[in-house]
Every structure is written in C-alpha cells, then in structure tokens.
Amino acid sequence: QVQLVESGGGSVQAGGSLRLSCVAFGYTYSINVVGWFRLVPGKEREGVATLWRFGGATYYSDSVKGRFTISRDSANDTVYLQMNSLKPEDTAMYYCAATYRRPSPGLNPAADFGYWGQGTQVTVSS
C-alpha cells in the first residue's frame, strides 16, 4: 500500500509558474511508475506526465511538452511537477498517481495506476 499527498497548487496569472509536489508514504520502494493527471469538470481525466523509477524515463502530453517537467527526489520519496508558462487551459485539479506494475512505456493512462492522491487545484487566470 502507498499513500500519496499532493501540494503546491494555487492561483497564478498566465505565463506564471507553479511547482506541484507529491509525497509518497508506505511501500514506496515498490513503486515503478509515477504520473500526474489533471481533471476539469465535464472533461475526461488527462494524463500530463509520467516518470519511470528505473531509468528515469519521462513522458509528456503534447499539451504540456516543453512547459512542464516531472522529476523526483528519491531520498524524500517526492515527485514534482514543475509547470512553467502556464495557460488558462491548464486550470484543473491535478492528481498524482503511482503503480507497482510495469505497464508499457509511455504516457500511461489512468487505468494503469492503482494509487491516487487527493488532488491539488491549479487555477490560471488570463
């Protein structure tokens, strides 16, 4: 079992930056993949970025590529999502997710993840 706790959300103007954090508790040594997702009411959950523990491979959605960076601090069991050049369309609830499984490499869908945080709201104003 693993618990995930996100933080770092908030309100920012377009063009600004935020850094989201996701701290993992529990059997963190078994986590293989961590991902960030976002959800806007009325829309499907969107995968934003994934990071593979072994090898450190990262994957991004086209909508955030070049603006967002997923990274980790293994010593503190924390994964970050650095978000730069934010746009109003980035407004969403952002969730951290983790899995013990080893799905196919790539921007893995939500169904590949078994553990989720409670979410942190990001609001970007124009």
Side-chain angles (χ1 to χ4, degrees):
Q1 288 278 358
V2 64
Q3 294 80 43
L4 304 172
V5 179
E6 304 100 330
S7 63
S11 297
V12 64
Q13 288 192 326
S17 299
L18 284 173
R19 188 178 77 161
L20 306 184
S21 300
C22 173
V23 181
F25 301 91
Y27 292 103
T28 60
Y29 58 85
S30 295
I31 295 174
N32 281 316
V33 186
V34 181
W36 283 98
F37 292 78
R38 62 188 182 187
L39 182 63
V40 176
K43 295 187 177 181
E44 291 190 2
R45 184 163 39 186
E46 177 189 8
V48 173
T50 55
L51 182 149
W52 282 66
R53 178 175 186 162
F54 298 103
T58 57
Y59 304 89
Y60 298 92
S61 67
D62 289 342
S63 61
V64 307
K65 198 172 296 181
R67 300 187 297 122
F68 290 11
T69 303
I70 187 171
S71 63
R72 63 179 177 174
D73 177 355
S74 299
N76 294 300
D77 290 327
T78 302
V79 173
Y80 301 101
L81 185 68
Q82 178 67 44
M83 306 186 295
N84 298 329
S85 302
L86 283 162
K87 304 175 182 179
E89 51 263 44
D90 294 319
T91 295
M93 183 73 80
Y94 283 73
Y95 296 88
C96 175
T99 181
Y100 295 148
R101 297 164 53 191
R102 293 197 179 196
S104 299
L107 187 64
N108 302 99
D112 283 347
F113 295 86
Y115 299 97
W116 293 83
Q118 81 289 350
T120 185
Q121 177 69 36
V122 171
T123 302
V124 184
S125 58
S126 57

